[in-house]
Amino acid sequence: MRINTNVGALTASRNIFVNQMATEGSMRKLSSGLRISRAADDAAGMSIANKLRTQSRSLNQAAANAEQGNAMLQIAEGAAQTIQRILERQKELVTQKLNGTSSSTTTDTVESEIGKLSAEVERIINITTFQGSSVFGSLAFQVAEQDSDGTVTIDAGLAVADVSLADSASLQDVDDAMDAINETLANIGAGQNVLDYVTQNLKSTVVNLRAAESTIRDVDMAEEMATFTKNNILQQAAQAMLSQANQGAQGVLSLLR
């Protein structure tokens, strides 16, 4: 019998330390809900999870860009529809002016209104902006995390000269202006559809990326709870065995009596 080196007690003490570390690790995971709460838990897994989280955040912003682009196009559509209604009124006035029963006074009044309406069309085009940028032009929206193939470009161009009529405008002039505004409205509508689909796809991708990150970073609570219970029991058992190992050395005293 040896008393200077109690191998059983040392072994039990080492097991207590190992089980205590495992129990504390389980408590950290259970309290945080994370399987990887520090790099030591899974260095490779943390690297992958961080990349997935970064990608999902970037795509979230891309989706926000697309939604803001759609808001910009809605403003452009509202302004374009107002211009369209003005052109409809101007065509009505031109038709009235061309009537053989119109007097010179009537003609002057009609042309005056046509001119004022054209000035309003020009004003609408010049002042309709979104965050300081004109809504009528070639609009580009960043809707991906890559620089290449990550931009959606929409032609919402509308020149004042295309829709602003002279006082003496003819019916053909009005029809040409109507064609221009209708083309702009068609481009805006197509752009809105594109951005709607882009937003849907981005949000779906973000959900899938977060699900993939979750499988790596998040803890399975049921499984970890079972592990915690096991380690906790082993720690208590090791403490009991340490007590038994220390008591075993007391047998030496019986030889001294």
Side-chain angles (χ1 to χ4, degrees):
M1 301 178 68
R2 300 178 180 85
I3 61 171
N4 284 338
T5 304
N6 190 334
V7 177
L10 292 174
T11 300
S13 178
R14 179 180 64 82
N15 287 333
I16 288 175
F17 174 77
V18 171
N19 293 328
Q20 183 178 2
M21 292 293 292
T23 301
E24 290 176 355
S26 291
M27 291 176 65
R28 183 176 62 253
K29 293 175 182 179
L30 289 169
S31 62
S32 67
L34 299 174
R35 186 182 72 86
I36 307 174
S37 58
R38 57 176 186 165
D41 292 333
D42 184 354
M46 174 170 277
S47 175
I48 296 172
N50 285 343
K51 289 180 180 179
L52 290 171
R53 182 169 61 188
T54 300
Q55 185 179 5
S56 67
R57 291 185 63 177
S58 177
L59 291 180
N60 251 339
Q61 183 57 55
N65 291 350
E67 289 176 329
Q68 290 178 14
N70 222 329
M72 188 175 188
L73 290 178
Q74 287 173 0
I75 293 173
E77 181 183 13
Q81 287 178 344
T82 300
I83 293 172
Q84 182 186 39
R85 288 193 294 271
I86 291 175
L87 290 174
E88 290 172 356
R89 172 57 180 165
Q90 286 180 315
K91 185 167 185 177
E92 181 181 4
L93 291 169
V94 171
T95 303
Q96 179 184 358
K97 182 183 69 170
L98 293 176
N99 186 33
T101 61
S102 296
S103 64
S104 60
T105 301
T106 301
T107 299
D108 291 342
T109 302
V110 167
E111 290 184 348
S112 175
E113 184 176 349
I114 291 173
K116 291 177 180 178
L117 290 174
S118 292
E120 178 59 16
V121 166
E122 182 175 354
R123 190 187 71 84
I124 290 173
I125 293 175
N126 290 333
I127 69 165
T128 307
T129 61
F130 182 82
Q131 295 185 1
S133 299
S134 174
V135 299
F136 294 116
S138 181
L139 309 176
F141 307 105
Q142 184 68 27
V143 294
E145 56 181 338
Q146 300 91 356
D147 290 335
S148 59
D149 298 327
T151 302
V152 170
T153 302
I154 297 167
D155 182 13
L158 184 64
V160 172
D162 293 335
V163 290
S164 181
L165 302 176
D167 296 354
S168 57
S170 65
L171 286 174
Q172 184 60 50
D173 293 332
V174 181
D175 288 340
D176 290 342
M178 290 289 290
D179 289 341
I181 196 66
N182 286 332
E183 181 180 358
T184 298
L185 282 167
N187 290 338
I188 290 173
Q192 288 175 320
N193 286 332
V194 168
L195 291 178
D196 281 341
Y197 288 123
V198 166
T199 302
Q200 293 173 24
N201 181 63
L202 287 172
K203 288 185 178 293
S204 175
T205 302
V206 168
V207 170
N208 291 328
L209 285 172
R210 286 183 173 176
E213 180 192 357
S214 176
T215 60
I216 299 172
R217 193 187 299 274
D218 294 343
V219 69
D220 184 327
M221 297 295 286
E223 180 181 354
E224 194 59 41
M225 192 64 209
T227 301
F228 169 76
T229 302
K230 178 196 71 174
N231 291 329
N232 196 27
I233 293 172
L234 287 173
Q235 183 180 0
Q236 295 178 44
Q239 290 172 345
M241 292 305 99
L242 176 60
S243 177
Q244 290 295 323
N246 287 334
Q247 289 179 6
Q250 299 295 321
V252 176
L253 294 178
S254 65
L255 300 176
L256 302 177
R257 296 191 183 114

